[in-house]
Amino acid sequence: MTEIYPIGGGKGGVGKSFIAAGLGASIAQRGHNVVVIDLDLGASNLHTLLGMKSPKSDLNRFLDKTVNDLESVAVPTLIPNLFFISSLNCSMEIANLLHAHKLKIISAIQKLPFEYILLDPGTGTHFNTLDFFLTSKAGILVGTPEPTSIENFFRFINAVYFRILKQTLKRSEFHSAVKDAVTGMSGATAGTHDILKIVSKYHPDKVTYLKNKLSEFKFKLILNQFRKNMDSTLGNKIETVCNRHFHSNFQFVGTIRYDGQIHDAVYSKTLYVHKYPHTQSSNDLKKIAEKITGNQRPASLPKEMS
């Protein structure tokens, strides 16, 4: 069974791409076949964190129909079982992705024959970023322990919820006054409570339906760049707050300790967990990979990837 984990967290600088690369490698080292996909369209750099030069094949070949399936553009990395799909060679205009192309990419991702698929969307709360994050009903949320990052962390969750509810209202039978009111809202300021309050005015019987839609999603939480003097229980506290005030299931899966050698790996264009496999941060990634995979036994590689 395929597990798809988009990685999000609001603004840049929290280490989403670093975690996508390191976590993908750590899961692959446990014997699972994994693909990491760079969906930071127009600003791709995940190949650098994977220690790769410009891949010969990438997402552009799928979008321009040079190949018929997304699996064909997955290239091997220096880690056995770990594959990569780049968007580096796509036109800069891809940042303004056509809706049809976005749906094509999402559909193709959901059909990939890998055990684990990690997605690295862009930063912020642009519709494309949110829609890629909602490719599956599971996701990984990344933040750092600083108050501003935690604030952005909650804003990102709120934006994800706003997108889920807005799409649900669009596809379902609701009073036009409800749809008009929500259409006029901004995801940056409107909260779940605001939307549910409007729905309860016209459709009190459908509030539970919307809450159940939100409860279908499960998110894992990671705190990156964690230093020794920080509150070791912070991750658990954030998990508690999320489960108390949001409707989905949130699970804190670990911290990744700060290590100056991470910057060394980035500057030297090498994969951190490969260059520094025995550091505390690499061990943190291995523990998170263990929690995510649990007791699942590795499957054999797809024939064409063997």
Side-chain angles (χ1 to χ4, degrees):
M1 180 178 174
T2 297
E3 300 279 354
I4 303 176
Y5 287 107
I7 300 174
K11 290 188 177 181
V14 297
K16 286 193 315 89
S17 297
F18 165 74
I19 289 173
L23 189 57
S26 298
I27 293 174
Q29 287 170 337
R30 291 178 60 79
H32 299 278
N33 62 86
V34 184
V35 63
V36 182
I37 306 177
D38 191 343
L39 292 173
D40 191 354
L41 305 179
S44 303
N45 61 9
L46 186 54
H47 60 284
T48 301
L49 295 171
L50 286 166
M52 302 175 68
K53 295 181 179 179
S54 177
K56 295 180 180 179
S57 187
D58 71 357
L59 185 63
N60 193 52
R61 299 186 73 232
F62 172 67
L63 290 177
D64 68 12
K65 299 182 181 179
T66 302
V67 298
N68 294 322
D69 59 271
L70 191 57
E71 182 185 357
S72 299
V73 301
V75 298
T77 68
L78 52 82
I79 302 294
N81 305 332
L82 179 64
F83 296 83
F84 174 53
I85 296 176
S86 171
S87 59
L88 178 65
N89 296 317
C90 293
S91 164
M92 291 297 291
E93 294 179 353
I94 198 173
N96 300 312
L97 190 66
L98 294 174
H99 182 69
H101 282 169
K102 177 170 59 179
L103 295 182
K104 180 181 180 179
I105 293 170
I106 291 172
S107 177
I109 287 170
Q110 294 168 336
K111 296 174 184 176
L112 286 170
F114 294 87
E115 289 180 83
Y116 290 92
I117 301 171
L118 302 185
L119 310 180
D120 182 22
T123 57
T125 54
H126 187 277
F127 282 169
N128 286 342
T129 299
L130 295 175
D131 288 343
F132 283 137
F133 187 78
L134 292 171
T135 296
S136 79
K137 292 183 178 178
I140 295 173
L141 294 163
V142 178
T144 61
E146 288 75 21
T148 52
S149 177
I150 294 172
E151 184 178 347
N152 288 328
F153 189 90
F154 289 124
R155 283 182 178 174
F156 184 79
I157 298 172
N158 191 63
V160 168
Y161 267 31
F162 183 79
R163 190 66 173 159
I164 294 169
L165 291 175
K166 195 169 183 178
Q167 290 178 335
T168 302
L169 291 173
K170 183 178 180 181
R171 296 168 184 164
S172 307
E173 292 294 329
F174 282 87
H175 194 284
S176 59
V178 174
K179 294 186 177 183
D180 290 344
V182 174
T183 299
M185 289 181 173
S186 166
T189 57
T192 305
H193 176 75
D194 299 318
I195 296 176
L196 295 179
K197 187 176 180 180
I198 294 172
V199 173
S200 66
K201 181 179 178 180
Y202 295 92
H203 303 283
D205 55 316
K206 290 191 176 183
V207 173
T208 299
Y209 166 74
L210 291 177
K211 289 181 178 179
N212 287 339
K213 276 288 180 183
L214 296 174
S215 70
E216 293 174 357
F217 291 83
K218 297 181 180 180
F219 302 115
K220 299 185 185 300
L221 313 176
I222 294 175
L223 284 179
N224 191 27
Q225 302 174 25
F226 211 82
R227 298 176 187 266
K228 291 181 179 179
N229 61 341
M230 292 176 173
D231 180 3
S232 61
T233 65
L234 180 59
N236 299 105
K237 290 176 180 177
I238 294 174
E239 174 189 298
T240 299
V241 170
C242 288
N243 284 319
R244 182 180 299 159
H245 295 285
F246 294 102
H247 300 279
S248 306
N249 176 266
F250 293 82
Q251 178 193 12
F252 173 62
V253 292
T255 58
I256 300 172
R257 281 165 279 193
Y258 174 83
D259 181 5
Q261 293 177 113
I262 292 173
H263 297 284
D264 296 338
V266 173
Y267 287 128
S268 62
K269 299 181 180 181
T270 56
L271 176 60
Y272 172 76
V273 296
H274 184 258
K275 186 173 184 178
Y276 302 108
H278 304 299
T279 62
Q280 289 182 328
S281 299
S282 287
N283 287 331
D284 291 337
L285 283 161
K286 291 174 185 175
K287 289 178 182 178
I288 292 171
E290 184 177 357
K291 285 186 179 180
I292 288 175
T293 59
N295 295 321
Q296 293 185 24
R297 302 180 68 178
S300 58
L301 284 171
K303 291 181 180 179
E304 56 270 37
M305 294 294 176
S306 301

